[in-house]
Amino acid sequence: MNKLQDIAGLDPAKLQPLLEQVQSAYYQLEDAAYQVRDYRDEIEFNPSRLDFIEQRLDTIASLRRKYGETVQDILAYLAKIQKELDLIENKDEALQKLQQQEEALRSRLVKRGAELTEQRAAVAERLAAEIVAELRDLHMERTQFKVQIDPRRRTALPVKAGTRWSS
């Protein structure tokens, strides 16, 4: 830049604007260099933070190998095992809830069984009356026919394959 200043006096009309451009570029470069230096000085190098980040990346790589390639796969696996853990930790509450459901279903079953017994008794009376009428047509007036339903007799009902219970 000094040599350009020296020769700018020889042809000021052409070289003075060129000298001003060069000086402006020089000052801009100098200012940019200061800004880069300031930025460099602001950057914090923290070896323990770097170690922490590297450990996290290793953990993430390990999780990807074990539980899925994507973050969504890993999170889906996490949700699944959290649900299983919740079932294990709260097994008593879950068992109590299942027992309540079983009792409610058993109550419905008994009610429906009673309704079915009533329907069977009604059908049995009609059947007996119709059979007696047919027997009279066959000249068997003294023959009696009666259908007997014993609602106290209970049979085992399968609940699951291989499991039986009776009420």
Side-chain angles (χ1 to χ4, degrees):
M1 189 165 59
N2 289 339
K3 291 186 182 186
L4 187 58
Q5 283 176 335
D6 292 344
I7 62 168
L10 299 175
D11 189 2
K14 288 189 177 182
L15 294 179
Q16 190 60 36
L18 184 61
L19 175 64
E20 290 173 6
Q21 275 185 324
V22 169
Q23 284 176 336
S24 174
Y26 173 78
Y27 293 130
Q28 286 179 352
L29 283 173
E30 194 173 56
D31 186 45
Y34 286 127
Q35 288 178 18
V36 168
R37 208 172 303 127
D38 289 344
Y39 176 75
R40 180 199 65 197
D41 293 341
E42 289 175 6
I43 294 175
E44 176 186 338
F45 177 71
N46 185 339
S48 63
R49 177 77 176 145
L50 179 61
D51 288 342
F52 173 76
I53 291 171
E54 287 177 349
Q55 287 175 357
R56 287 287 283 184
L57 290 173
D58 287 343
T59 301
I60 291 170
S62 174
L63 289 172
R64 289 178 70 193
R65 279 192 304 275
K66 289 181 181 179
Y67 305 113
E69 282 299 313
T70 66
V71 173
Q72 290 82 6
D73 293 341
I74 295 169
L75 293 176
Y77 182 79
L78 173 65
K80 176 186 163 199
I81 61 173
Q82 283 177 334
K83 186 176 179 180
E84 289 175 9
L85 178 63
D86 184 53
L87 283 174
I88 291 169
E89 287 178 345
N90 299 313
K91 68 180 184 314
D92 293 334
E93 291 85 8
L95 180 61
Q96 183 179 11
K97 191 175 186 179
L98 288 172
Q99 287 171 338
Q100 290 171 348
Q101 288 175 350
E102 178 187 19
E103 187 57 40
L105 290 172
R106 185 182 306 263
S107 176
R108 282 181 47 202
L109 180 64
V110 168
K111 181 180 176 188
R112 297 254 171 106
E115 292 170 357
L116 182 59
T117 299
E118 288 176 19
Q119 291 173 356
R120 285 179 177 164
V123 169
E125 285 181 26
R126 284 196 315 258
L127 177 64
E130 289 175 14
I131 289 177
V132 166
E134 290 294 323
L135 290 172
R136 284 193 182 124
D137 287 345
L138 296 173
H139 303 293
M140 301 174 76
E141 292 85 13
R142 293 181 7 181
T143 307
Q144 295 181 357
F145 184 87
K146 184 176 181 182
V147 177
Q148 184 176 358
I149 297 177
D150 185 2
R152 295 173 293 167
R153 183 172 159 229
R154 298 179 184 204
T155 59
L157 298 174
V159 175
K160 290 194 271 185
T163 305
R164 296 174 65 90
W165 63 273
S166 62
S167 55

